[in-house]
Amino acid sequence: MSAPEHLVFVTGKLARARLEKVAAGLPADRFAWTIADAGVKVAALMTEEIIRRRVRIPEGATRIVLPGRCRANPEALAAHFGVPVERGPDEIVDLPAHLGLAGRTVDLSRHDLRIFSEIVDASKMSPGEILAKGLDLAARGADVIDLGGLPDTAFPHLEESVRLLKGAGLRVSVDSFSLDELTRGARAGADYLLSLNEETLDLAFETDAVPVLVPMRPDDVPSLDRAIERMRRAGRPFLADPILEPIHFGFTDSVARYRDLRARHPDIEMMMGTGNLTELTEADSLGVTALLLGICSELDIRSVLIVQVSNHTRRTVEEHDAARRVMYAAKADAALPKGYGRALLALHDKRPFVQTPDEIAALAAEVRDPNYRIAVAEDGIHVYNRDIHKVGTDAMAFFPDLNVASDGAHAFYLGAELAKAETAWRLGKRYVQDEPLRWGAAADEEAEDATAFKKAGHTKHSGPGGPPPGTRDAARISPEAGAGPPETVGPEQARTESAGLAEAPAEGQARIVCGKLVPAGSA
């Protein structure tokens, strides 16, 4: 049996007790561990320089794990210590999963499903507008831009639109009931034609565009089989789509048709159009999409046609992109689609509360300044500073206890944070003070430089005479103010309680205000 990997967890005073508790539960046959307490209160504010100077790595260490919110550069630290350095999870409770103890290594970089994203009203748009829309859809995750024709609506700029999209390096399909439009699109260079049936199939032999075959009617499966056989005999590429129908209009039978078609033709390429479910069901589309792509994964359907017309499906490209990656990874692992990240969780989180009420109370007992911290646990919203620790479920009900009636900027900040905290508590989402809530694939996440500090906003320390908003860069203020001596301890020395670890900031030193480091003298 190989020796266990020796991990070094770098942390600060406030997080050390919680880290010790989690580390103590790691399997000893896989991990030996050491905690390197740099002596600063807040680990997230450690810089590369602080870590280089204050952290000592024990002999035999094989990997260093930084706090997830630490703004240091792991590559630079790895070069300094001569040991691999990585950024761990934002929350300590997620450390076991980060170390692979969930039973798998999550890789969402791969998929095997092609997204056709339809521009529904392309015939009513100018070529320039079509190009801009196509580029936007591709940036969101679409692989093929589908130009949707409309009945009784001329599309005189079809050829120009196809050429523009192709010139931009995009793959293009033309989707029309008009054989003339399909022919023109193919001659202009379209890669795919949607959709041909056994009566219009001759067009497939007049062009290099790959046809998507459909039945004459959704329930006329034999007509689709005949079209498939003709293409197979000719040795020509194609996709087959038995047509997914809306709920109460044949949905269950249509799902069965996909299953039966795959059973009859185990090696053909298939497509599913998901819009009849996502668009025509007034339900959050992310869950609907996850279910449909689970069916695609089981049946080896490697193309989907998606559409976004309704406002509630405005993120359908991103949702399909996230779902195809999760399903691919789960299938590769022969596993349930669980534990593959939070992209498919919009309204709720699997582990929303990262601290218990007792853990928050212990932290609150260590606070020695008047600045408010906000946290969320199963029992509600916690607001605390050196003077109070209040727990509730109504953001507005905290106002009388906060003593900010004469401080508009601070009251505005606290109101916004508490409303966000209440939303998180009611939905069962993770809340982190000064960070946006995360909505999975349902909303973009703000890109950030993980090696740079955020600039402090103006809250309680704003007002006449204060610096202009956004000019107080936390990276310029030493997080070592009031730092204690660094300490490196192993499991046998680790303490299980945080009492005594935190120290009150000395007079005239930098401190935390509303989750941000601010200079001394700020009111």
Side-chain angles (χ1 to χ4, degrees), residues 293-314:
L293 265 61
I295 294 173
C296 289
S297 182
E298 285 195 353
L299 297 179
D300 291 324
I301 297 172
R302 289 190 285 267
S303 294
V304 289
L305 173 65
I306 70 175
V307 60
Q308 190 272 302
V309 177
S310 303
N311 286 327
H312 78 283
T313 63
R314 67 184 64 195

Side-chain angles (χ1 to χ4, degrees), residues 165-330:
L165 292 169
K166 292 290 292 181
L170 302 176
R171 285 182 286 180
V172 182
S173 61
V174 175
D175 189 352
S176 177
F177 292 111
S178 166
L179 194 59
D180 175 66
E181 287 183 350
L182 291 173
T183 302
R184 290 166 50 210
R187 290 174 178 170
D191 301 280
Y192 301 90
L193 298 179
L194 285 71
S195 301
L196 300 181
N197 55 43
E198 66 175 341
E199 291 188 351
T200 59
L201 194 55
D202 287 347
L203 179 58
F205 298 91
E206 300 172 8
T207 174
D208 292 330
V210 176
V212 177
L213 309 181
V214 297
M216 295 291 295
R217 300 182 314 277
D219 61 348
D220 187 4
V221 178
S223 69
L224 178 57
D225 284 331
R226 290 191 292 269
I228 290 172
E229 288 304 321
R230 185 179 174 191
M231 294 299 293
R232 296 187 74 159
R233 287 195 302 269
R236 302 291 295 268
F238 65 92
L239 292 81
D241 185 355
I243 307 298
L244 189 71
E245 297 195 90
I247 293 173
H248 296 152
F249 291 87
F251 167 66
T252 303
D253 287 342
S254 67
V255 172
R257 287 196 293 269
Y258 282 91
R259 179 202 60 196
D260 294 344
L261 186 67
R262 173 55 75 205
R264 293 195 304 275
H265 305 283
D267 58 346
I268 67 170
E269 290 295 326
M270 292 175 61
M271 170 183 279
M272 176 184 286
T274 61
N276 276 347
L277 260 289
T278 57
E279 288 285 321
L280 303 180
T281 306
E282 287 194 4
D284 290 329
S285 57
L286 182 53
V288 176
T289 297
L291 175 61
L292 292 177
L293 265 61
I295 294 173
C296 289
S297 182
E298 285 195 353
L299 297 179
D300 291 324
I301 297 172
R302 289 190 285 267
S303 294
V304 289
L305 173 65
I306 70 175
V307 60
Q308 190 272 302
V309 177
S310 303
N311 286 327
H312 78 283
T313 63
R314 67 184 64 195
R315 296 281 297 184
T316 191
V317 180
E318 291 88 344
E319 291 169 3
H320 280 78
D321 181 49
R324 66 178 171 177
R325 297 172 187 278
V326 169
M327 297 304 167
Y328 181 90

